[in-house]
Amino acid sequence: MSTEQKPETNDSLEKASDSQVDASGSEHLADFGGESLLPPPPTLTAEEERKLWRKIDIRLMPILALMYLFSFLDRGRPFNQFRIGNARLQGLEAQLGLVGNQYNIALTMFFIPYCIFECPANMVLKKFRPSRWLPGITVAWGIVMTLMGLVKTYPQLVGTRVCLGVVEAGLFPGVVYYLTLWYPRHMLQWRIGLFFGAASMAGAFSGTLAFGIGFLSGTRGLLGWSWIFILEGVATVVVGVLSFFVLVDFPFTAKFLTPEQRAYVVWRKKYDNSSVGEEEHFEMRHFIEALVDWQVWVHLSVYMAVITNLYGITLFLPFGHDAAVSNLLTVPPYVTLVLFIFAYWSDRIKLRFPFILAGFLFNLIGFSINISNAPSGMQWVKYFGTFFCVTGAYAAVPGIVAWTGNNLSGQYKRGIGMGIQIGIGHFGGAFASNMYRTQDKPRFIIGHACELMFAAIGILSTVIAALVSHRENRRRDEETRAGGEKKIYSAKMLREMGDRAPDFRYVL
C-alpha cells in the first residue's frame, strides 16, 4: 500500500472538506465554483483494495447474517414473522383455542409496533453504537421468543407478539443503514444480498428444524410448537451475546483495520456520492427533507408491494395433510441462488431497477400459477409456482433497499428515509396476514388475486422511480453543460443540499 498522502482522521477530513474538494471530484465540481485542494486518500492497488473489502466482509457479514438467520428462524417467515407458520401445524391453534380470525389477528398485531418503531430505531443507532444496539435487541427478542413458548392463552400470545414487534423493529433497517456507512454505492447490494440471503436460508432451515423439533412434543408437558419457540429463542440469545464481542461500530473506529485502511474506507465512503462529502450531524431539517422527498414514497410503494408478496406466500406456505410432510415441503422453494446472482450483477452493471422488475415478473408468474384451477392430481404445478413467488420476492428486496440507500445523501436523511420506507412498507405484512382467509381454502383466490395486484403496483412504481430519476439526471447534466448559467456553490452548500446538489446523480 502506498501512503504518499494520508488523511489521518475522520475529523481532519471533515474540517478540510468544509472549504475544499477532493481531487477525484475536482473537475466536475469546478463547474460549480469548487476548488481542488484536498489531498487524496492512500493509494491502493486493485489487489490491495480487494483484500481490504474482503477483510471487512469477513469481519462484518458472517455475524450480521447469523443474527438475521436466527431472526428468521425465530419467526420462520420473511422479515419480522415468528415460527407461527409451522407452529400452527404443531398444535398451537388447538392448545390455545384459536378460533375464527384470531390466528390472523395474532399475526397482524406484530406489525403495528414493528412499523412504528423502525424509523426511531434507525435514528438512535449511531448514538447508541451499532456494536451495542444490534446485539442488545437480538438478546431482547431472543428472550421474548423463549417466553412465547410458555404462553397459555390467546391474549398472552398477542401480548408477546406486540413485544416481539417492538424489540425486532431495529434489526433489518438498522443493519441496512449500518452497511451504507461502510460500503460505497455500487458495492452495497451484494452485501445486502449476503445479509438478506440468510433469510432465505432460514426459510429452508425453519421447515427442517420444525420437523425435527416436532418430535419433542409431549416432553415436559409441552407440545411441539412450544419447543420450537423455546429452543430457537435460546439459540438467538446465544447469538446476541456472541455478537457483542464480534460486531464493530464505524470505519473510523475499526481497530481490526490499519490506520491507512481506516483512512481509505472513511475517505472512499465519505466522497462516494458527493464531491464534498456527506453531512454527518443531525438537524431537524433532515427529518423534514426525508418526509417530503419523492423518492422515499415511490420507493416505499415498491417495497410495500414486494413485502406483501413475500409475506403472503411464506405465511401460508406450509401445506399438505401431515404436519411433518408439510414442514418439509416448505424447504425447497427457499433454496435459490437467484438472489445472489441479481445482487452481484446489479452492483457490477450499476443498475437496480431491471432486477427489481424481474423479481416482480417472477411474482406475476408464480401467483398466476397458484390462482389457477389445477386439475386433481396436478397440485405439483402450484407447488412449482411457489418457487417463482419466493424467488421473485426474495431477489427483489435487496435491490429496492440498496436503491433507496444509494439515492439519499446525508447520513441522517438516509437513515430516516430508509426507516420510513422499511417501517411503513412492512405494513404489507399486515395486509398479507389478512388476505389469506381460512374460508377461502383451498384455492385462496382472494389472497392470490391481491398478490397479483401488488405485483402490478410494484412494477408500475419501479418504472416511475426509474423514469423520474433518469429525467432528473438528464436535467442536471444539461444544467452542468449550460454555459454562462453556472452558480457558484460552496462545499458547505453542496453538502447541505445532499442528493439535491447539482453534482449528485441518481442510481437507476
Side-chain angles (χ1 to χ4, degrees):
M1 178 189 303
S2 172
T3 56
E4 297 172 1
Q5 290 176 301
K6 305 177 186 177
E8 297 179 5
T9 66
N10 191 43
D11 291 339
S12 65
L13 284 173
E14 177 74 30
K15 185 180 297 183
S17 63
D18 281 339
S19 57
Q20 300 169 326
V21 182
D22 64 275
S24 64
S26 60
E27 183 176 352
H28 185 65
L29 188 63
D31 292 335
F32 305 102
E35 300 179 21
S36 176
L37 299 174
L38 189 67
T43 301
L44 274 65
T45 65
E47 180 61 25
E48 287 174 333
E49 187 172 359
R50 279 195 297 270
K51 288 182 178 179
L52 171 58
W53 294 118
R54 191 181 308 123
K55 184 177 183 180
I56 295 173
D57 289 340
I58 292 173
R59 182 58 181 262
L60 300 185
M61 300 314 302
I63 188 62
L64 293 175
L66 188 62
M67 292 165 69
Y68 206 49
L69 169 65
F70 273 85
S71 171
F72 267 63
L73 285 177
D74 288 348
R75 297 162 289 180
R77 291 293 170 254
F79 295 104
N80 302 282
Q81 195 53 267
F82 64 73
R83 182 61 261 148
I84 202 166
N86 285 314
R88 69 186 301 192
L89 298 176
Q90 301 287 354
L92 183 149
E93 287 182 309
Q95 187 173 26
L96 297 187
L98 303 185
V99 296
N101 290 324
Q102 286 184 330
Y103 172 74
N104 299 79
I105 294 173
L107 293 178
T108 305
M109 289 306 296
F110 170 88
F111 294 98
I112 297 175
Y114 180 84
C115 297
I116 291 173
F117 283 95
E118 279 194 305
C119 184
N122 253 19
M123 294 177 67
V124 303
L125 180 140
K126 287 189 69 176
K127 182 176 180 61
F128 287 97
R129 299 171 51 194
S131 65
R132 295 295 176 264
W133 176 254
L134 297 176
I137 61 177
T138 302
V139 171
W141 91 62
I143 293 173
V144 173
M145 195 67 210
T146 304
L147 295 176
M148 193 175 295
L150 304 177
V151 301
K152 302 298 182 184
T153 66
Y154 172 65
Q156 290 175 357
L157 175 64
V158 172
T160 52
R161 287 281 291 161
V162 171
C163 292
L164 190 67
V166 172
V167 293
E168 285 206 30
L171 180 69
F172 183 69
V175 170
V176 173
Y177 174 46
Y178 173 65
L179 292 177
T180 68
L181 303 177
W182 279 86
Y183 294 100
R185 299 167 94 186
H186 299 300
M187 296 176 64
L188 184 60
Q189 186 172 339
W190 172 244
R191 273 70 187 186
I192 295 177
L194 292 176
F195 158 69
F196 188 71
S200 178
M201 295 172 59
F205 291 152
S206 60
T208 307
L209 290 176
F211 170 76
I213 296 174
F215 290 105
L216 292 175
S217 185
T219 304
R220 296 187 178 275
L222 298 175
L223 294 183
W225 68 268
S226 291
W227 284 113
I228 291 173
F229 291 142
I230 292 171
L231 293 180
E232 293 181 358
V234 170
T236 300
V237 172
V238 173
V239 171
V241 173
L242 174 66
S243 62
F244 273 110
F245 299 96
V246 178
L247 202 61
V248 296
D249 287 316
F250 308 107
F252 61 88
T253 62
K255 294 183 179 180
F256 72 96
L257 299 177
T258 66
E260 291 80 9
Q261 290 174 332
R262 289 200 297 268
Y264 182 85
V265 175
V266 169
W267 195 94
R268 174 73 184 275
K269 185 65 196 81
K270 187 176 181 66
Y271 300 97
D272 176 49
N273 57 6
S274 172
S275 53
V276 295
E278 287 190 305
E279 283 196 321
E280 299 180 7
H281 63 280
F282 175 74
E283 295 181 14
M284 184 53 65
R285 64 179 176 84
H286 296 143
F287 182 77
I288 298 173
E289 288 173 358
L291 280 179
V292 301
D293 195 312
W294 68 270
Q295 292 184 98
V296 173
W297 300 103
V298 176
H299 287 192
L300 187 157
S301 178
V302 180
Y303 188 74
M304 181 177 288
V306 73
I307 288 302
T308 306
N309 286 348
L310 190 150
Y311 271 110
I313 191 61
T314 50
L315 273 174
F316 297 90
L317 185 58
F319 59 92
H321 301 289
D322 176 74
V325 174
S326 294
N327 278 327
L328 289 178
L329 286 174
T330 65
V331 175
Y334 291 98
V335 182
T336 175
L337 297 177
V338 176
L339 181 154
F340 301 107
I341 295 173
F342 278 19
Y344 175 81
W345 280 104
S346 179
D347 274 351
R348 187 176 180 86
I349 68 174
K350 301 180 180 180
L351 286 174
R352 305 296 184 212
F353 81 91
F355 301 94
I356 299 171
L357 286 176
F360 281 118
L361 290 175
F362 278 21
N363 281 169
L364 283 177
I365 295 171
F367 286 109
S368 295
I369 293 174
N370 275 275
I371 203 173
S372 65
N373 188 16
S376 178
M378 297 285 288
Q379 291 301 310
W380 63 269
V381 175
K382 291 192 175 184
Y383 182 60
F384 175 72
T386 63
F387 285 78
F388 285 93
C389 297
V390 175
T391 296
Y394 270 93
V397 169
I400 179 55
V401 173
W403 201 11
T404 307
N406 289 162
N407 287 349
L408 295 178
S409 183
Q411 291 188 4
Y412 276 96
K413 180 185 177 181
R414 183 166 60 247
I416 294 168
M418 297 183 76
I420 293 172
Q421 177 201 32
I422 296 173
I424 299 178
H426 271 119
F427 274 112
F431 300 154
S433 299
N434 294 280
M435 291 187 321
Y436 289 86
R437 305 176 303 174
T438 304
Q439 60 264 39
D440 296 331
K441 290 181 179 180
R443 289 184 62 188
F444 293 112
I445 293 178
I446 293 178
H448 292 324
C450 289
E451 297 286 37
L452 288 170
M453 177 190 71
F454 275 102
I457 292 174
I459 291 174
L460 179 61
S461 300
T462 301
V463 171
I464 291 174
L467 289 177
V468 174
S469 296
H470 177 65
R471 186 184 66 178
E472 182 62 20
N473 283 347
R474 290 188 60 184
R475 184 187 67 81
R476 294 180 186 184
D477 288 340
E478 291 172 359
E479 288 185 354
T480 301
R481 292 192 296 266
E485 297 182 4
K486 301 173 185 176
K487 180 177 179 180
I488 296 178
Y489 296 93
S490 68
K492 182 176 183 297
M493 292 170 63
L494 290 171
R495 193 157 44 246
E496 288 178 350
M497 294 171 73
D499 52 79
R500 294 175 292 109
D503 65 329
F504 185 93
R505 296 297 181 269
Y506 293 118
V507 174
L508 300 182

